[in-house]
PDB file of all heavy atoms in Angstrom:
ATOM      1  N   GLY V 980     -10.261   0.068 -11.973  1.00 87.00           N
ATOM      2  CA  GLY V 980     -10.883   0.491 -10.751  1.00 87.00           C
ATOM      3  C   GLY V 980     -11.710   1.758 -10.855  1.00 87.00           C
ATOM      4  O   GLY V 980     -11.978   2.491  -9.882  1.00 87.00           O
ATOM      5  N   LYS V 981     -12.325   1.988 -12.057  1.00 87.00           N
ATOM      6  CA  LYS V 981     -13.043   3.273 -12.313  1.00 87.00           C
ATOM      7  C   LYS V 981     -14.249   3.265 -11.392  1.00 87.00           C
ATOM      8  O   LYS V 981     -14.753   4.314 -11.030  1.00 87.00           O
ATOM      9  CB  LYS V 981     -13.534   3.392 -13.733  1.00 87.00           C
ATOM     10  CG  LYS V 981     -14.301   2.229 -14.334  1.00 87.00           C
ATOM     11  CD  LYS V 981     -14.628   2.698 -15.784  1.00 87.00           C
ATOM     12  CE  LYS V 981     -15.689   1.612 -16.309  1.00 87.00           C
ATOM     13  NZ  LYS V 981     -14.963   0.404 -16.834  1.00 87.00           N
ATOM     14  N   GLN V 982     -14.792   2.130 -10.987  1.00 92.00           N
ATOM     15  CA  GLN V 982     -15.986   2.032 -10.091  1.00 92.00           C
ATOM     16  C   GLN V 982     -15.567   2.505  -8.620  1.00 92.00           C
ATOM     17  O   GLN V 982     -16.405   2.527  -7.701  1.00 92.00           O
ATOM     18  CB  GLN V 982     -16.603   0.581 -10.183  1.00 92.00           C
ATOM     19  CG  GLN V 982     -15.866  -0.523  -9.426  1.00 92.00           C
ATOM     20  CD  GLN V 982     -14.850  -1.159 -10.413  1.00 92.00           C
ATOM     21  OE1 GLN V 982     -14.029  -0.561 -11.205  1.00 92.00           O
ATOM     22  NE2 GLN V 982     -14.676  -2.461 -10.463  1.00 92.00           N
ATOM     23  N   PHE V 983     -14.284   2.674  -8.425  1.00 97.00           N
ATOM     24  CA  PHE V 983     -13.796   2.996  -6.961  1.00 97.00           C
ATOM     25  C   PHE V 983     -13.430   4.514  -6.812  1.00 97.00           C
ATOM     26  O   PHE V 983     -12.622   4.779  -5.982  1.00 97.00           O
ATOM     27  CB  PHE V 983     -12.561   2.024  -6.662  1.00 97.00           C
ATOM     28  CG  PHE V 983     -13.035   0.620  -6.516  1.00 97.00           C
ATOM     29  CD1 PHE V 983     -12.404  -0.292  -7.277  1.00 97.00           C
ATOM     30  CD2 PHE V 983     -14.155   0.243  -5.674  1.00 97.00           C
ATOM     31  CE1 PHE V 983     -12.696  -1.677  -7.138  1.00 97.00           C
ATOM     32  CE2 PHE V 983     -14.350  -1.181  -5.648  1.00 97.00           C
ATOM     33  CZ  PHE V 983     -13.739  -2.096  -6.408  1.00 97.00           C
ATOM     34  N   ILE V 984     -13.879   5.372  -7.811  1.00 95.00           N
ATOM     35  CA  ILE V 984     -13.456   6.816  -7.665  1.00 95.00           C
ATOM     36  C   ILE V 984     -13.586   7.243  -6.163  1.00 95.00           C
ATOM     37  O   ILE V 984     -12.723   8.016  -5.684  1.00 95.00           O
ATOM     38  CB  ILE V 984     -14.279   7.671  -8.579  1.00 95.00           C
ATOM     39  CG1 ILE V 984     -13.951   7.436 -10.087  1.00 95.00           C
ATOM     40  CG2 ILE V 984     -14.153   9.216  -8.195  1.00 95.00           C
ATOM     41  CD1 ILE V 984     -12.687   7.919 -10.577  1.00 95.00           C
ATOM     42  N   GLU V 985     -14.702   7.014  -5.469  1.00 96.00           N
ATOM     43  CA  GLU V 985     -14.844   7.483  -4.165  1.00 96.00           C
ATOM     44  C   GLU V 985     -14.142   6.690  -3.090  1.00 96.00           C
ATOM     45  O   GLU V 985     -13.991   7.270  -2.020  1.00 96.00           O
ATOM     46  CB  GLU V 985     -16.413   7.405  -3.786  1.00 96.00           C
ATOM     47  CG  GLU V 985     -17.255   8.449  -4.569  1.00 96.00           C
ATOM     48  CD  GLU V 985     -16.827   9.877  -4.363  1.00 96.00           C
ATOM     49  OE1 GLU V 985     -16.403  10.202  -3.181  1.00 96.00           O
ATOM     50  OE2 GLU V 985     -16.743  10.671  -5.293  1.00 96.00           O
ATOM     51  N   THR V 986     -13.814   5.521  -3.285  1.00 98.00           N
ATOM     52  CA  THR V 986     -13.315   4.638  -2.202  1.00 98.00           C
ATOM     53  C   THR V 986     -11.786   4.282  -2.314  1.00 98.00           C
ATOM     54  O   THR V 986     -11.297   3.691  -1.394  1.00 98.00           O
ATOM     55  CB  THR V 986     -14.178   3.338  -2.086  1.00 98.00           C
ATOM     56  OG1 THR V 986     -14.164   2.708  -3.388  1.00 98.00           O
ATOM     57  CG2 THR V 986     -15.562   3.627  -1.707  1.00 98.00           C
ATOM     58  N   SER V 987     -11.233   4.584  -3.411  1.00 98.00           N
ATOM     59  CA  SER V 987      -9.726   4.330  -3.587  1.00 98.00           C
ATOM     60  C   SER V 987      -8.933   5.308  -2.870  1.00 98.00           C
ATOM     61  O   SER V 987      -9.357   6.681  -2.931  1.00 98.00           O
ATOM     62  CB  SER V 987      -9.465   4.068  -4.991  1.00 98.00           C
ATOM     63  OG  SER V 987      -7.970   3.862  -5.125  1.00 98.00           O
ATOM     64  N   SER V 988      -7.731   5.116  -2.497  1.00 98.00           N
ATOM     65  CA  SER V 988      -6.888   6.206  -1.989  1.00 98.00           C
ATOM     66  C   SER V 988      -6.096   6.842  -3.196  1.00 98.00           C
ATOM     67  O   SER V 988      -5.333   7.710  -3.018  1.00 98.00           O
ATOM     68  CB  SER V 988      -5.737   5.450  -1.135  1.00 98.00           C
ATOM     69  OG  SER V 988      -4.916   4.587  -1.846  1.00 98.00           O
ATOM     70  N   TRP V 989      -6.227   6.248  -4.359  1.00 98.00           N
ATOM     71  CA  TRP V 989      -5.585   6.670  -5.583  1.00 98.00           C
ATOM     72  C   TRP V 989      -4.074   6.831  -5.379  1.00 98.00           C
ATOM     73  O   TRP V 989      -3.570   7.853  -5.678  1.00 98.00           O
ATOM     74  CB  TRP V 989      -6.324   7.845  -6.148  1.00 98.00           C
ATOM     75  CG  TRP V 989      -7.669   7.534  -6.665  1.00 98.00           C
ATOM     76  CD1 TRP V 989      -8.926   7.814  -6.055  1.00 98.00           C
ATOM     77  CD2 TRP V 989      -7.933   6.633  -7.713  1.00 98.00           C
ATOM     78  NE1 TRP V 989      -9.970   7.164  -6.786  1.00 98.00           N
ATOM     79  CE2 TRP V 989      -9.331   6.419  -7.769  1.00 98.00           C
ATOM     80  CE3 TRP V 989      -7.178   5.914  -8.655  1.00 98.00           C
ATOM     81  CZ2 TRP V 989      -9.967   5.586  -8.663  1.00 98.00           C
ATOM     82  CZ3 TRP V 989      -7.786   5.107  -9.588  1.00 98.00           C
ATOM     83  CH2 TRP V 989      -9.186   4.935  -9.555  1.00 98.00           C
ATOM     84  N   HIS V 990      -3.551   5.749  -4.711  1.00 98.00           N
ATOM     85  CA  HIS V 990      -2.105   5.791  -4.658  1.00 98.00           C
ATOM     86  C   HIS V 990      -1.411   5.697  -6.012  1.00 98.00           C
ATOM     87  O   HIS V 990      -0.412   6.495  -6.266  1.00 98.00           O
ATOM     88  CB  HIS V 990      -1.638   4.528  -3.815  1.00 98.00           C
ATOM     89  CG  HIS V 990      -0.215   4.374  -3.768  1.00 98.00           C
ATOM     90  ND1 HIS V 990       0.688   5.263  -3.151  1.00 98.00           N
ATOM     91  CD2 HIS V 990       0.694   3.347  -4.201  1.00 98.00           C
ATOM     92  CE1 HIS V 990       1.934   4.855  -3.289  1.00 98.00           C
ATOM     93  NE2 HIS V 990       1.992   3.746  -3.999  1.00 98.00           N
ATOM     94  N   LEU V 991      -2.065   4.971  -7.002  1.00 98.00           N
ATOM     95  CA  LEU V 991      -1.574   4.899  -8.347  1.00 98.00           C
ATOM     96  C   LEU V 991      -2.787   4.924  -9.228  1.00 98.00           C
ATOM     97  O   LEU V 991      -3.963   4.581  -8.807  1.00 98.00           O
ATOM     98  CB  LEU V 991      -0.850   3.480  -8.519  1.00 98.00           C
ATOM     99  CG  LEU V 991       0.494   3.230  -7.785  1.00 98.00           C
ATOM    100  CD1 LEU V 991       0.952   1.890  -7.893  1.00 98.00           C
ATOM    101  CD2 LEU V 991       1.558   4.114  -8.446  1.00 98.00           C
ATOM    102  N   TYR V 992      -2.503   5.325 -10.457  1.00 98.00           N
ATOM    103  CA  TYR V 992      -3.534   5.393 -11.453  1.00 98.00           C
ATOM    104  C   TYR V 992      -3.242   4.467 -12.673  1.00 98.00           C
ATOM    105  O   TYR V 992      -2.621   4.859 -13.655  1.00 98.00           O
ATOM    106  CB  TYR V 992      -3.892   6.828 -11.984  1.00 98.00           C
ATOM    107  CG  TYR V 992      -5.175   6.956 -12.775  1.00 98.00           C
ATOM    108  CD1 TYR V 992      -6.429   7.278 -12.027  1.00 98.00           C
ATOM    109  CD2 TYR V 992      -5.221   6.691 -13.996  1.00 98.00           C
ATOM    110  CE1 TYR V 992      -7.588   7.346 -12.638  1.00 98.00           C
ATOM    111  CE2 TYR V 992      -6.482   6.801 -14.783  1.00 98.00           C
ATOM    112  CZ  TYR V 992      -7.628   6.947 -13.964  1.00 98.00           C
ATOM    113  OH  TYR V 992      -8.871   7.010 -14.642  1.00 98.00           O
ATOM    114  N   PRO V 993      -3.603   3.291 -12.531  1.00 97.00           N
ATOM    115  CA  PRO V 993      -3.221   2.216 -13.537  1.00 97.00           C
ATOM    116  C   PRO V 993      -4.147   2.217 -14.789  1.00 97.00           C
ATOM    117  O   PRO V 993      -5.461   2.313 -14.612  1.00 97.00           O
ATOM    118  CB  PRO V 993      -3.430   1.011 -12.907  1.00 97.00           C
ATOM    119  CG  PRO V 993      -4.337   1.125 -11.778  1.00 97.00           C
ATOM    120  CD  PRO V 993      -4.382   2.654 -11.431  1.00 97.00           C
ATOM    121  N   VAL V 994      -3.615   2.249 -15.878  1.00 97.00           N
ATOM    122  CA  VAL V 994      -4.346   2.100 -17.273  1.00 97.00           C
ATOM    123  C   VAL V 994      -3.992   0.841 -17.908  1.00 97.00           C
ATOM    124  O   VAL V 994      -2.846   0.540 -17.985  1.00 97.00           O
ATOM    125  CB  VAL V 994      -4.070   3.392 -18.078  1.00 97.00           C
ATOM    126  CG1 VAL V 994      -4.494   3.244 -19.529  1.00 97.00           C
ATOM    127  CG2 VAL V 994      -4.542   4.630 -17.438  1.00 97.00           C
ATOM    128  N   GLN V 995      -4.961   0.105 -18.365  1.00 97.00           N
ATOM    129  CA  GLN V 995      -4.641  -1.251 -18.917  1.00 97.00           C
ATOM    130  C   GLN V 995      -4.799  -1.024 -20.465  1.00 97.00           C
ATOM    131  O   GLN V 995      -5.858  -0.732 -20.967  1.00 97.00           O
ATOM    132  CB  GLN V 995      -5.565  -2.300 -18.321  1.00 97.00           C
ATOM    133  CG  GLN V 995      -5.299  -3.710 -18.664  1.00 97.00           C
ATOM    134  CD  GLN V 995      -6.231  -4.622 -18.203  1.00 97.00           C
ATOM    135  OE1 GLN V 995      -7.222  -4.285 -17.484  1.00 97.00           O
ATOM    136  NE2 GLN V 995      -6.210  -5.829 -18.750  1.00 97.00           N
ATOM    137  N   PHE V 996      -3.707  -1.539 -21.111  1.00 97.00           N
ATOM    138  CA  PHE V 996      -3.751  -1.538 -22.616  1.00 97.00           C
ATOM    139  C   PHE V 996      -4.007  -2.961 -23.113  1.00 97.00           C
ATOM    140  O   PHE V 996      -3.942  -3.931 -22.361  1.00 97.00           O
ATOM    141  CB  PHE V 996      -2.308  -1.145 -23.133  1.00 97.00           C
ATOM    142  CG  PHE V 996      -1.940   0.258 -22.764  1.00 97.00           C
ATOM    143  CD1 PHE V 996      -1.512   0.614 -21.564  1.00 97.00           C
ATOM    144  CD2 PHE V 996      -2.199   1.273 -23.743  1.00 97.00           C
ATOM    145  CE1 PHE V 996      -1.159   1.815 -21.322  1.00 97.00           C
ATOM    146  CE2 PHE V 996      -1.852   2.595 -23.438  1.00 97.00           C
ATOM    147  CZ  PHE V 996      -1.364   2.929 -22.211  1.00 97.00           C
ATOM    148  N   GLU V 997      -4.437  -2.964 -24.412  1.00 96.00           N
ATOM    149  CA  GLU V 997      -4.834  -4.277 -25.076  1.00 96.00           C
ATOM    150  C   GLU V 997      -3.671  -5.221 -24.973  1.00 96.00           C
ATOM    151  O   GLU V 997      -3.800  -6.433 -24.862  1.00 96.00           O
ATOM    152  CB  GLU V 997      -5.382  -3.984 -26.483  1.00 96.00           C
ATOM    153  CG  GLU V 997      -6.636  -4.455 -26.737  1.00 96.00           C
ATOM    154  CD  GLU V 997      -7.274  -3.862 -27.953  1.00 96.00           C
ATOM    155  OE1 GLU V 997      -6.860  -4.434 -29.069  1.00 96.00           O
ATOM    156  OE2 GLU V 997      -8.019  -2.984 -27.806  1.00 96.00           O
ATOM    157  N   ASN V 998      -2.470  -4.609 -25.196  1.00 95.00           N
ATOM    158  CA  ASN V 998      -1.259  -5.541 -25.265  1.00 95.00           C
ATOM    159  C   ASN V 998      -0.063  -4.787 -24.798  1.00 95.00           C
ATOM    160  O   ASN V 998      -0.014  -3.626 -24.669  1.00 95.00           O
ATOM    161  CB  ASN V 998      -1.119  -6.188 -26.788  1.00 95.00           C
ATOM    162  CG  ASN V 998      -0.998  -5.057 -27.698  1.00 95.00           C
ATOM    163  OD1 ASN V 998      -0.107  -4.198 -27.581  1.00 95.00           O
ATOM    164  ND2 ASN V 998      -1.887  -5.189 -28.747  1.00 95.00           N
ATOM    165  N   SER V 999       1.126  -5.610 -24.548  1.00 94.00           N
ATOM    166  CA  SER V 999       2.157  -4.929 -23.976  1.00 94.00           C
ATOM    167  C   SER V 999       2.911  -4.093 -24.907  1.00 94.00           C
ATOM    168  O   SER V 999       3.560  -3.036 -24.576  1.00 94.00           O
ATOM    169  CB  SER V 999       3.179  -6.090 -23.342  1.00 94.00           C
ATOM    170  OG  SER V 999       3.613  -6.836 -24.302  1.00 94.00           O
ATOM    171  N   ALA V1000       2.775  -4.366 -26.252  1.00 96.00           N
ATOM    172  CA  ALA V1000       3.383  -3.478 -27.313  1.00 96.00           C
ATOM    173  C   ALA V1000       2.843  -2.053 -27.068  1.00 96.00           C
ATOM    174  O   ALA V1000       3.650  -1.095 -27.212  1.00 96.00           O
ATOM    175  CB  ALA V1000       3.208  -4.019 -28.737  1.00 96.00           C
TER     176      ALA V1000
END
Side-chain angles (χ1 to χ4, degrees):
K981 61 177 186 282
Q982 68 272 46
F983 296 125
I984 291 285
E985 287 303 320
T986 54
S987 176
S988 69
W989 293 109
H990 174 63
L991 292 168
Y992 194 90
V994 169
Q995 190 187 345
F996 293 84
E997 238 162 78
N998 53 57
S999 63

